[in-house]
Each structure stands twice: as structure tokens, then as C-alpha cells.
Amino acid sequence: MSLISNIVGFSLFGLAARFGQLGIQKRNLFDNPGGHAISMIVFGYAGYWAYQWDQRAAVLIAQKRAEIQARREQKEAAALEVEA
């Protein structure tokens, strides 16, 4: 997923959460648009953080896979030397 779609998706979820909150309280949904904006900003930032975390995790996983592959190759080479 791209960064923009992640931020927009989380922001829309924040807006839906705000509407759900006001619906439970049986208040007017369009009474205070500032609260909607704050909710969207907070959830949008959470989406940005989730995207950055996902990118960093992908890099760490790739590094770990490369290390594991290198160790496997070393073990195979050592086993071949012992057999020969």
C-alpha cells in the first residue's frame, strides 16, 4: 500500500470512529467539525506511523533472511569439506 492511501484510509476510519462516537451519544454529527478534524489528523498520523513501521519491518526481515541464507551456505560448505 502506498503512503497516501494508508494515511487517507486511517483518516477516514478516524472520521467514522468520530461519527460512531457522536451517534452513540445521540448528538448532532455536524455540530463540531473541529473534533472531526482532530480525529482525522490523529488517525492519519497513526496511518503514517503504521506505514513507516511496515517499511522498516520489511527491511529488517530482508536483512534477517539474507543472514540466514549466508549461514546455511556456510554450513553446507563446511559439511562438504568434512565429507571430502
Side-chain angles (χ1 to χ4, degrees):
M1 256 169 55
S2 71
L3 176 62
I4 297 299
S5 65
N6 214 14
I7 292 173
V8 169
F10 272 76
S11 292
L12 290 177
F13 182 79
L15 181 63
R18 176 73 176 159
F19 281 156
Q21 175 190 25
L22 293 176
I24 289 171
Q25 295 176 356
K26 297 185 183 197
R27 291 175 44 198
N28 184 6
L29 297 180
F30 301 104
D31 188 28
N32 184 10
H36 301 323
I38 291 171
S39 180
M40 290 179 73
I41 289 169
V42 168
F43 276 85
Y45 179 72
Y48 172 77
W49 181 82
Y51 177 81
Q52 295 298 330
W53 179 65
D54 187 44
Q55 294 299 311
R56 179 68 181 141
V59 168
L60 291 174
I61 289 170
Q63 288 174 351
K64 186 56 82 172
R65 283 185 178 164
E67 290 174 9
I68 291 170
Q69 184 64 29
R71 275 191 245 132
R72 285 181 182 164
E73 290 172 359
Q74 287 175 353
K75 284 182 181 181
E76 288 175 4
L80 289 176
E81 287 180 5
V82 170
E83 290 178 5

